[in-house]
Amino acid sequence: MGVNEIKTAILANKTALGIEFGSTRIKAVLVDDTNEPIASGGHGWENRYENGVWTYSLEDIWGGIQDCYADLVKNVKEKYDVELESVGAFGVSAMMHGYMPFNKDGELMVPFRTWRNTITGEASEKLSALFNFNIPQRWTIAHLYQAILNGEEHVKDIDYVTTLEAYVHWKLTGVRAQGIGDAAGMFPCDSNTNDYVEEMVQKFDELVAPYGFPWKFRDIFPKVYVAGEDAGKLTEEGAKLLDPTGKLKAGIPMCPPEGDAGTGMVATNSVAQRTGNVSAGTSAFAMIVLEKALSKPYVEIDMVTTPSGEPVAMAHSNNCTSDLNAWVNIFKEFQQSLGVEVDMDKLYGTLYKKALEGDADCGGLLSYCYFSGEHVTGFEEGRPLFVRSSESKFNLANFMRTHLYTSIGAMRVGMDLLMNKEHVKVDRLLGHGGLFKTEGVGQQFLADSVNVPVSVMSTAGEGGAWGIALLASYLVNKEDGETLASYLDEKVFSKYEGSTLAPTEEGVKGYNAFMERYMKGLSIERAAVDSKIW
C-alpha cells in the first residue's frame, strides 16, 4: 500500500494495534487492513533483582507503555502526517507467567514476581504431585501456593491474581480476562473445554481449604478467553492511562491478552498441529503443537496451548542471549576505547558471522549463560560462566560460536525429551527473536541443535508485538467459522517468503559434542553457584 492508502486506512480505523512487554523492550506495532506493519514504537526497560526477587515496578510498567505508545504516535505522524486518535482493534501481550496479587482496592500487595524467579520449588513439586501434571516454578499457581506455604500475610486479602498482560488489559478495559495461551501458564487448562481443568481446580480448593481464606480459585483468577472472542473495549480511564495527552479515543475493541509464547506462535504461523516455533531472546523456548498428549509429565516440559486452545509442549529455558549481549558490549567498549564509531547492528552481524568460521564443536570451549536460575538443569540461581582448558582452541570464532551454542543449550535438553523419548513429529520449525536477526547464523545453529530444518520468515523481526496485533485483527476481521490457523495461512502469511536451512552432518555432530561437554560441565556451574563468592 502507498502512503495515501495507509493514511486513509488509519483515518478509517482499518488498523490493529499490538503492544508487547518483552524482557528488555516494550514494542508497539500498528498494522493496516492487510495485516502489514505500517508503524512501530518502542521503549527499553530492564528487570531488577530486589530482595531476592526479579521484578518490574508499576511505574516501570505504566511509564514504559505510555512512552512506547507515544513513540508509535510520533512514528505515525512522521510517516503519514496523521494524528493517531484511534485504531480498529487493540491487544496487549507480555512475558508469560508470574504473579501479581491485588486486593479489593486494586492495590498490588507484593512486587510483581516475574517468570524469571525460581523461588517456588516446594510449591511446584507438591502441586505437580497433586495434579500428576508438571507445574513449573514460573506458573502463577506455583507462586500463589508458595506464598501460602510461606505464610505470607497478603494472601488472605487477595481479590485478583493475574499476569502482566492480563493486569494491563484489566486496567485498560475493566475486564478480568486472560487468553488461554497464558491462562495455561497460570494453571492447567483443558483444550476440550477451553477453561481451567475443573478436577484440578477442585483439588486446589480442597488443598487450601484448611487455611480458611475468604476466596476460592475461580474467585480470584481471570476468566479464560480464546482467540477471536470479544474481551472488552478500551474505557475512557484506560485511554487516558495509555495516552495521558487525552487524544486517544475510548471504545476500541480489545482481543484477549496473551503471553509472549502465544504471540510468538501467531507471529510465526505455528498454531496448527505438527508446527513449531522457537523464540530466542532473553529467554528461549520451543513450542510444538501436538497431535496427541505426551505419555507422561516431564519436569522439563511445560504443557500450554495455542491462543485457540490446541495443546502445546513447551521446552523453556530461563536464559538465552543476556550473557551473549554482555560479551558483545565488551567489544563495543573496546571499539569506543579505540575511538571507533560503533554501529551495533554491524557489530552483532560481524561477530555472529565470525562464529560460522569456528569449529563445529567450538574447539573445546564451554560457556553457561545462566544470569538467573535454570529449572531445566536444576539451578535455582545462576552464574554466567566461560571455561576453557589449556588445550582448547581459543579464538574469536570459537568464542562467539560457544556463546551462540550455549544460548540454546538448556532448551535443547527439553527438546531431546520431545524428539527422542516422545517421538514428537514436526513438519516445520520457525525461528524468531534476536538470535535470528543476523541471517543464517542462529538459524543454522538451531537446525544443527535439534536436527530439524529451521525457517525464518521475512517478518521474524516483528516478533510478538506483531503477533498480538494479528490477534486483534483476527477479532474484528475474521469471517464466520474461520479458524485462526486459516486466517493466518490465507490472510497473513500467504504473501511472505522465508528462508529455510537444513541441519548439516558436521554441525549436528559438533553440536552434540558440545552438548556432551555442556552436560558434564554442569558441576562447574554448580560449584560457581555454591561458592557464594557473588
Side-chain angles (χ1 to χ4, degrees), residues 194-208:
N194 290 330
D195 196 5
Y196 303 114
V197 178
E198 180 58 29
E199 179 185 359
M200 296 183 191
V201 169
Q202 293 178 15
K203 284 185 176 181
F204 181 78
D205 283 339
E206 292 170 3
L207 177 67
V208 302

Side-chain angles (χ1 to χ4, degrees), residues 73-95:
V73 170
K74 178 182 176 183
N75 188 239
V76 170
K77 179 67 174 177
E78 289 175 347
K79 293 175 74 172
Y80 310 111
D81 194 27
V82 174
E83 288 288 346
L84 187 65
E85 297 181 349
S86 187
V87 295
F90 179 23
V92 178
S93 176
M95 302 161 283

Side-chain angles (χ1 to χ4, degrees), residues 280-284 318-327 348 352 369 371 403-404 407 434-435:
T282 303
S283 64
N318 285 354
N319 301 278
C320 185
T321 59
S322 292
D323 192 40
L324 176 60
N325 294 339
W327 281 109
Y348 269 100
Y352 275 39
C369 57
F371 257 60
H403 287 290
L404 284 158
S407 64
L435 194 71

Side-chain angles (χ1 to χ4, degrees), residues 229-434:
E229 289 188 326
D230 180 0
K233 290 180 171 56
L234 183 68
T235 63
E236 293 283 354
E237 295 81 3
K240 291 177 182 177
L241 194 55
L242 181 60
D243 179 21
T245 69
K247 294 179 181 178
L248 180 62
K249 297 177 180 177
I252 299 170
M254 294 196 64
C255 69
E258 262 300 350
D260 54 357
T263 58
M265 291 184 231
V266 172
T268 55
N269 194 20
S270 304
V271 299
Q273 290 181 355
R274 292 174 67 113
T275 65
N277 78 92
V278 172
S279 173
T282 303
S283 64
F285 49 82
M287 314 284 296
I288 310 298
V289 186
L290 302 176
E291 296 177 278
K292 60 180 181 179
L294 300 182
S295 64
K296 63 178 182 179
Y298 293 91
V299 173
E300 300 87 350
I301 302 297
D302 299 3
M303 289 303 301
V304 292
T305 78
T306 70
S308 299
E310 290 81 8
V312 172
M314 177 167 69
H316 181 282
S317 61
N318 285 354
N319 301 278
C320 185
T321 59
S322 292
D323 192 40
L324 176 60
N325 294 339
W327 281 109
V328 172
N329 281 327
I330 291 293
F331 290 103
K332 170 188 173 183
E333 288 186 33
F334 173 70
Q335 283 189 264
Q336 291 174 329
S337 298
L338 293 176
V340 178
E341 185 176 347
V342 178
D343 179 329
M344 290 305 292
D345 288 337
K346 183 178 180 180
L347 179 58
Y348 269 100
T350 300
L351 291 172
Y352 275 39
K353 290 175 183 176
K354 189 68 178 178
L356 292 173
E357 301 174 16
D359 296 309
D361 68 347
C362 300
L365 306 183
L366 180 60
S367 172
Y368 295 98
C369 57
Y370 294 4
F371 257 60
S372 62
E374 188 53 74
H375 67 287
V376 177
T377 48
F379 287 86
E380 293 190 1
E381 297 179 50
R383 299 290 185 273
L385 193 65
F386 174 71
V387 187
R388 65 187 175 102
S389 75
S390 57
E391 288 79 30
S392 299
K393 296 179 182 178
F394 185 40
N395 54 43
L396 180 59
N398 282 337
F399 180 81
M400 290 307 303
R401 195 175 185 112
T402 298
H403 287 290
L404 284 158
Y405 270 25
T406 201
S407 64
I408 52 177
M411 184 189 73
R412 157 70 185 263
V413 175
M415 287 296 288
D416 278 346
L417 291 174
L418 293 177
M419 300 290 194
N420 300 332
K421 289 192 175 182
E422 291 291 331
H423 307 291
V424 169
K425 303 299 182 185
V426 182
D427 291 335
R428 65 174 191 244
L429 192 62
L430 292 101
H432 63 108

